[in-house]
Amino acid sequence: MIIQVERNFLELKDLKNLKEKRSDEKSFVVKKIIPDFQLNKFFYKQVGKKYKWVDRLVWSDERWIKYISDKNLETYVISKSNELVGFFELLYNPEFNDTEISYFGLLDEYIGKGIGSYALSTALKKAFSRNIKRVWLHTCTLDHPNALKNYLARGMTVFKRESIKILEN
């Protein structure tokens, strides 16, 4: 079956426009990790299974290793009391002096607890630490229903919209 998907591209051009959300809990830790393709692969599969993240499911280990070895890619893991909570990937593009939040998400048991707002605020601040012109990402109607709301609530603005058709398995 073919389904219609709405995709929104959002950006934040200045960190001063961030509407930061802090965590009420002090036990959350966001840490940049040493490249580990197994961890990126784990999060991609676990977070993405509900949202039809399928592009990378066919990747070989060699392709994963090449991807996470990119010097412009940083992966951050969110944890609580040494339990994995979620992750985000920041992909810096020196040609345009911007950073894409290429993947962002939480494990199921942590969704709906306000962690996503805090994690996104942290991701945006980490991205701007490179002194870039903007941070951008895209989301679609297959993602969590609160994803777009969270991005807008943090101060991001839509700069492009498109409608695409995909084959649903």
Side-chain angles (χ1 to χ4, degrees):
M1 171 170 36
I2 295 177
I3 60 171
Q4 189 83 17
V5 175
E6 304 303 318
R7 191 169 4 188
N8 289 286
F9 295 79
L10 296 99
E11 65 187 356
L12 186 68
K13 291 185 173 183
D14 194 320
L15 189 56
K16 70 180 178 195
N17 296 326
L18 170 64
K19 296 173 185 161
E20 184 174 2
K21 172 74 172 169
R22 289 188 163 83
S23 173
D24 294 333
E25 285 206 46
K26 303 296 181 213
S27 57
F28 288 112
V29 176
V30 178
K31 183 178 177 183
K32 181 179 169 184
I33 62 164
I34 295 169
D36 177 352
F37 84 95
Q38 293 287 14
L39 197 53
N40 288 67
K41 187 176 178 179
F42 165 79
F43 276 117
Y44 181 86
K45 286 180 173 182
Q46 292 305 307
V47 173
K49 64 185 170 190
K50 280 185 156 179
Y51 309 113
K52 300 190 184 334
W53 293 2
V54 297
D55 306 21
R56 297 180 183 180
L57 295 179
V58 297
W59 282 15
S60 65
D61 286 352
E62 292 77 21
R63 180 122 185 241
W64 274 103
I65 290 167
K66 182 179 179 190
Y67 173 74
I68 62 100
S69 298
D70 183 333
K71 67 179 175 26
N72 292 315
L73 178 73
E74 295 178 344
T75 301
Y76 291 82
V77 170
I78 304 139
S79 60
K80 177 182 177 183
S81 304
N82 293 322
E83 287 186 29
L84 297 176
V85 171
F87 83 123
F88 55 89
E89 295 176 356
L90 301 179
L91 186 57
Y92 173 63
N93 183 337
E95 181 181 349
F96 296 108
N97 195 30
D98 68 11
T99 296
E100 176 187 6
I101 300 176
S102 53
Y103 282 91
F104 173 87
L106 304 176
L107 297 173
D108 283 349
E109 57 269 30
Y110 294 99
I111 293 175
K113 299 182 181 193
I115 303 165
S117 302
Y118 162 72
L120 180 59
S121 295
T122 303
L124 290 163
K125 290 190 303 186
K126 298 275 186 199
F128 272 105
S129 69
R130 282 195 181 228
N131 197 26
I132 54 170
K133 290 196 281 189
R134 74 174 185 147
V135 179
W136 70 279
L137 56 77
H138 65 82
T139 189
C140 72
T141 49
L142 296 175
D143 288 335
H144 190 279
N146 291 331
L148 181 59
K149 292 176 198 168
N150 186 22
Y151 302 139
L152 294 169
R154 301 289 69 77
M156 299 186 84
T157 56
V158 175
F159 69 89
K160 178 181 170 185
R161 290 191 172 146
E162 64 185 14
S163 195
I164 58 174
K165 293 180 180 177
I166 64 164
L167 184 60
E168 184 177 47
N169 295 340

